[in-house]
Amino acid sequence: MTHHCTKFSGHWKIIVYDEECFQGRRHEFTSECCNVMEFGFETVRSLRVESGAWVGYEHASYQGQQFILERGEYPQCDAFGGTLSVFIFLPLSLSLPLTPIHPPQNHRECRMTIFERENFIGRKGELSDDYPSLQAMGWCNNEVGSLRVQSGAFVCYQYPGYRGYQYIMECDRHCGEYKHFREFGSHCQTPQIQSIRRIQQ
Amino acid sequence: MTHHCTKFSGHWKIIVYDEECFQGRRHEFTSECCNVMEFGFETVRSLRVESGAWVGYEHASYQGQQFILERGEYPQCDAFGGTLSVFIFLPLSLSLPLTPIHPPQNHRECRMTIFERENFIGRKGELSDDYPSLQAMGWCNNEVGSLRVQSGAFVCYQYPGYRGYQYIMECDRHCGEYKHFREFGSHCQTPQIQSIRRIQQ
């Protein structure tokens, strides 16, 4: 079954292809899609995000690895380290207009608190910027036990430098509360998070 | 041959292992290394950056893919999409002290101008922040013809969201001038650049 959220139509557009370099079968989405197989795709090998920020999932029903997809061209989806079967748009992007490259965009709307241990206890850190290495910024170790997104949305990564597994955290999902690493994503097996960045539009 | 730059010793420390998860043969570097094979390594499968920012290269003599390595643990180097044979520290990190996670670090020291075409001509954009999608920020297409780093250092990426090939651009190399995509890196075959971020310490 495909869910359509017409409220947001026109703000998001993604074109997917079942071959690399924008070849083969093609389909254009302007709203959420639970499963691209319903559109005759066995997999997605390249894609073009024309507007909005999207989240791709490895498996149907929003399971498996998550991949943040921002505006631009992705001629080889292998570069993510996985294939994509599902897309869901990110409602956050609604409130953030496109901004020209100069002057730099103001990102003050993204705020998150990270905690050393689960259930929002232990040492904490307040984040409102991009952090390619939490440890370089003074964080105690290579893990985050729990976290709370007060506003906006972030991508948390397993390794420094925005590498490894991705976990997309939004203030509008889970009420912004992720009290245990099992809530970070269905594929999350450890609390290892070493870099975090804001999602921008 | 190994080059040592004792001037910077103590500010950088990286520990490399020839097996995943910090197992096997181990070596600690505090300065530049042209070729880890000289230390009995056939490859590097995991590593821990204890201080400084490092650049890993795929092949000896600073050839092949580049990987930015920031403070933290990398239990599986496969996650970069390649293996590492060489490390060189990034002198930039000398001038940037470690900063605690709260309040957020000030990054105003990183400035770069990108140009639509080679030799610094065509449309241009001034950058002083992180840009997970240049197109979302108003950049004209999926390519950058040439660029000039006025201060600090940046990582440019082939795909949006800091994915794909990496090109490390510093104001202290090439006098900060990269006038053609062939100067972006030895592995660079196209001017495709779709995301750019500052290197922080």
Side-chain angles (χ1 to χ4, degrees), chain B residues 143-183:
Chain B
E143 297 181 348
V144 172
S146 53
L147 60 92
R148 193 176 272 136
V149 182
Q150 285 91 357
S151 59
F154 291 82
V155 195
C156 300
Y157 294 85
Q158 184 183 15
Y159 302 128
Y162 313 127
R163 316 295 295 174
Y165 284 141
Q166 305 180 18
Y167 312 112
I168 287 125
M169 313 293 201
E170 299 170 73
C171 67
D172 295 331
R173 281 199 300 178
H174 296 269
C175 300
E177 301 211 329
Y178 298 81
K179 68 178 187 300
H180 190 280
F181 74 80
R182 288 191 194 89
E183 296 177 358

Side-chain angles (χ1 to χ4, degrees), chain B residues 19-150:
Chain B
E19 293 180 15
E20 291 189 349
C21 297
F22 320 113
Q23 302 293 312
R25 182 185 292 268
R26 170 191 194 281
H27 196 87
E28 190 175 301
F29 294 93
T30 54
S31 62
E32 189 174 349
C33 165
C34 284
N35 194 340
V36 291
M37 292 185 73
E38 292 173 9
F39 296 88
F41 285 79
E42 287 190 10
T43 184
V44 173
R45 292 218 163 82
S46 59
L47 61 88
R48 189 179 276 125
V49 176
E50 298 213 339
S51 51
W54 299 69
V55 185
Y57 288 83
E58 194 182 13
H59 305 301
S61 303
Y62 315 121
Q63 299 296 302
Q65 284 194 59
Q66 307 168 7
F67 306 98
I68 181 75
L69 301 169
E70 286 148 319
R71 193 171 159 197
E73 296 189 344
Y74 301 76
Q76 293 175 306
C77 287
D78 286 355
F80 307 135
T83 55
L84 300 172
S85 65
V86 174
F87 298 103
I88 177 173
F89 65 79
L90 205 60
L92 164 81
S93 52
L94 186 66
S95 59
L96 297 176
L98 296 183
T99 308
I101 206 161
H102 181 75
Q105 195 182 28
N106 184 333
H107 305 292
R108 263 170 256 164
E109 52 278 298
C110 293
R111 284 190 307 114
M112 175 198 266
T113 307
I114 58 175
F115 297 85
E116 186 184 1
R117 296 169 56 195
E118 57 190 72
N119 292 313
F120 317 117
I121 58 174
R123 289 174 60 173
K124 67 177 183 178
E126 306 286 340
L127 279 64
S128 57
D129 198 344
D130 293 348
Y131 302 87
S133 163
L134 289 178
Q135 285 184 68
M137 300 296 177
W139 186 241
C140 41
N141 61 33
N142 63 353
E143 297 181 348
V144 172
S146 53
L147 60 92
R148 193 176 272 136
V149 182
Q150 285 91 357

Side-chain angles (χ1 to χ4, degrees), chain A residues 174-193:
Chain A
H174 296 268
C175 300
E177 301 212 331
Y178 298 81
K179 68 179 190 301
H180 189 280
F181 74 79
R182 287 191 196 91
E183 296 177 357
F184 294 174
S186 72
H187 60 305
C188 187
Q189 312 227 318
T190 77
Q192 191 177 42
I193 288 179

Side-chain angles (χ1 to χ4, degrees), chain A residues 52-123:
Chain A
W54 299 69
V55 185
Y57 289 83
E58 194 181 13
H59 305 301
S61 304
Y62 314 121
Q63 299 296 302
Q65 284 194 59
Q66 306 168 6
F67 306 98
I68 180 76
L69 301 169
E70 286 149 319
R71 193 172 159 196
E73 296 189 344
Y74 301 76
Q76 294 174 304
C77 287
D78 287 355
F80 308 133
T83 54
L84 299 171
S85 66
V86 174
F87 299 101
I88 177 173
F89 66 80
L90 205 60
L92 164 81
S93 53
L94 186 66
S95 59
L96 298 176
L98 295 183
T99 308
I101 207 161
H102 181 75
Q105 195 182 28
N106 184 332
H107 304 293
R108 263 170 256 166
E109 50 276 300
C110 293
R111 285 190 306 114
M112 173 199 268
T113 308
I114 57 174
F115 296 85
E116 186 184 0
R117 296 169 56 196
E118 57 191 71
N119 292 314
F120 316 116
I121 59 174
R123 290 175 58 175

Side-chain angles (χ1 to χ4, degrees), chain A residues 3-9 11-14 30-33 51-57 62 86-94 170 173:
Chain A
H3 299 286
H4 285 285
C5 189
T6 52
K7 183 181 170 193
F8 298 125
S9 286
H11 292 274
W12 291 266
K13 187 165 163 188
I14 189 168
T30 55
S31 61
E32 190 175 348
C33 165
S51 52
W54 299 69
V55 185
Y57 289 83
Y62 314 121
V86 174
F87 299 101
I88 177 173
F89 66 80
L90 205 60
L92 164 81
S93 53
L94 186 66
E170 298 170 72
R173 280 199 299 176

